[in-house]
Amino acid sequence: MDGDPVLGITFDCVDAQVVATFWCRALGYVEAPPPTGWSDWPSFLRDHDVPEEEWGDGAAIRPATGEGPTISFLKVPEPKSVKNRVHLDVKVSGGRHVDQELRLTRIRAKESDLVAHGATTQREDVVDGHLDHLVMTDPEGNEFCIA
């Protein structure tokens, strides 16, 4: 229904392109298309008088299917300085009901892939002797979990 809220997520960051590329990889997202009425991002930015030297200061990604929240990335002058109060969970294990060895394999595979693309593992949270989730950070230090 028109006028209903739509969820959008925004990351403040130092390098919007690097962080957007990382989160495309982490979530299986793709670059978001330009707003309706523009055939490409340069046309949109030009029409809104954004100086060309600022075109890389933002990025937007969305699920490949087009269904789900868009995530925006905006350049800010200061680096991250405190713990996130909200974070994303990258759910790859299938849930706690899945065989623990399979869960572990899925979590470790995603961890390995994301570490290779700039993530850092901060800690492992173990519940009842089994890995429940990993706390990680993206290339700019934003916390997220893999479960």
Side-chain angles (χ1 to χ4, degrees):
M1 179 155 88
D2 287 340
D4 285 343
V6 175
L7 176 65
I9 301 166
T10 300
F11 281 73
D12 288 344
C13 50
V14 174
D15 190 328
Q17 302 304 310
V18 166
V19 181
T21 298
F22 173 84
W23 283 103
C24 276
R25 178 91 187 182
L27 300 174
Y29 272 42
V30 296
E31 181 181 8
T36 302
W38 285 271
S39 61
D40 55 41
W41 281 106
S43 299
F44 173 81
L45 296 168
R46 222 178 274 108
D47 287 351
H48 286 83
D49 299 320
V50 176
E52 199 165 330
E53 62 271 12
E54 294 178 13
W55 287 8
D57 290 356
I61 64 174
R62 70 168 193 187
T65 62
E67 298 295 320
T70 297
I71 303 175
S72 301
F73 302 87
L74 301 175
K75 180 180 179 178
V76 296
E78 68 280 351
K80 181 181 175 302
S81 60
V82 297
K83 182 183 182 305
N84 296 20
R85 293 294 303 242
V86 174
H87 67 268
L88 301 181
D89 287 338
V90 179
K91 297 181 177 185
V92 298
S93 71
R96 291 188 176 113
H97 66 284
V98 172
D99 174 75
Q100 292 302 312
E101 286 302 313
L102 180 55
R103 287 187 82 246
L104 180 63
T105 298
R106 290 173 175 172
I107 291 170
R108 292 292 186 208
K110 192 64 168 180
E111 174 191 26
S112 179
D113 179 52
L114 296 181
V115 165
H117 288 87
T120 302
T121 304
Q122 299 297 309
R123 76 171 191 271
E124 299 180 359
D125 284 357
V126 175
V127 175
D128 295 329
H130 299 286
L131 178 64
D132 185 66
H133 64 276
L134 302 174
V135 177
M136 301 186 70
T137 55
D138 73 10
E140 289 198 4
N142 298 300
E143 294 93 5
F144 67 96
C145 294
I146 297 178

